[in-house]
Each structure stands twice: as C-alpha cells, then as structure tokens.
C-alpha cells in the first residue's frame, strides 16, 4: 500500500502517500445511522478496511493499522493482508 501510493501519478501529481490514523479520524462520522461511518463528502468508500501509514510497535512493525469504516474504528493486522488503499497528498 505504501509503495502503491508513493508510485502513484495522478492528476498531475506524484506526491501521494497513505493517510495516518489521525487523518482518517478527521473524516470519520460516527453520527451516521447507515452502514458506513465516513463523512458524506467522500465517495466510493467500501465498508472494508483501508490501510494507514501507521505501524504498531507491538509486532516490530510487521503489523499496520487500518480504518474499518463500518465501525469507524482503527484496528491492526499483518501488513501482508489485503485491504483497500486511499492515497492522499498535502495541498500546498
């Protein structure tokens, strides 16, 4: 996931990266009563997990955090497991 975002060249930009858990928390909306806990401004989101750039120290960096938008919570799992990727970039 990290490598995918780093190599991404879209919309004339090549400075893409994975968001952090904290950045995902800014767009999580736990007041929604439907099946997905994300701000309605974001489209094409699945209920499945989305990788973040954060790793957990408990597993020597082998596990990374992901956001599960069905609950709006962060969890961690082995970084080799398939999850969705949503790349972001800093606006200058």
């Amino acid at each position: 996931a990290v490598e995918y975002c780093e190599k991404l060249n879209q919309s004339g930009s090549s400075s893409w990266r994975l968001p952090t858990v904290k950045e995902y928390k800014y767009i999580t909306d736990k007041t929604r009563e439907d099946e997905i806990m994300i701000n309605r401004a974001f489209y094409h989101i699945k209920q499945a997990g989305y990788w973040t750039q954060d790793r957990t120290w408990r597993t020597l960096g082998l596990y990374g955090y992901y956001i599960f938008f069905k609950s709006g919570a962060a969890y961690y799992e082995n970084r080799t497991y398939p999850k969705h990727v949503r790349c972001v970039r800093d606006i200058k």
Side-chain angles (χ1 to χ4, degrees):
V2 172
E3 185 178 338
Y4 173 81
C5 288
E6 288 175 350
K7 290 183 176 183
L8 182 63
N9 189 346
Q10 181 153 354
S11 300
S13 178
S14 60
S15 60
W16 297 93
R17 62 178 175 77
L18 278 177
T20 63
V21 171
K22 187 175 182 179
E23 288 171 321
Y24 271 127
K25 292 291 183 179
Y26 286 123
I27 64 171
T28 301
D29 181 0
K30 292 189 177 185
T31 64
R32 288 187 63 174
E33 295 180 8
D34 51 0
E35 293 293 316
I36 192 161
M37 303 292 174
I38 190 170
N39 185 300
R40 292 184 190 278
F42 294 90
Y43 298 88
H44 310 296
I45 296 289
K46 297 185 184 279
Q47 294 176 359
Y50 284 80
W51 283 120
T52 74
Q53 65 177 276
D54 301 305
R55 298 180 187 176
T56 175
W57 59 271
R58 296 177 193 101
T59 60
L60 303 173
L62 298 175
Y63 280 51
Y65 284 95
Y66 67 94
I67 298 295
F68 186 58
F69 282 117
K70 180 156 177 122
S71 65
Y75 302 96
Y76 64 91
E77 189 160 39
N78 188 306
R79 292 175 45 217
T80 61
Y81 283 32
K83 301 273 183 243
H84 293 279
V85 176
R86 185 168 197 97
C87 302
V88 297
R89 63 188 172 110
D90 296 322
I91 298 175
K92 297 179 183 177

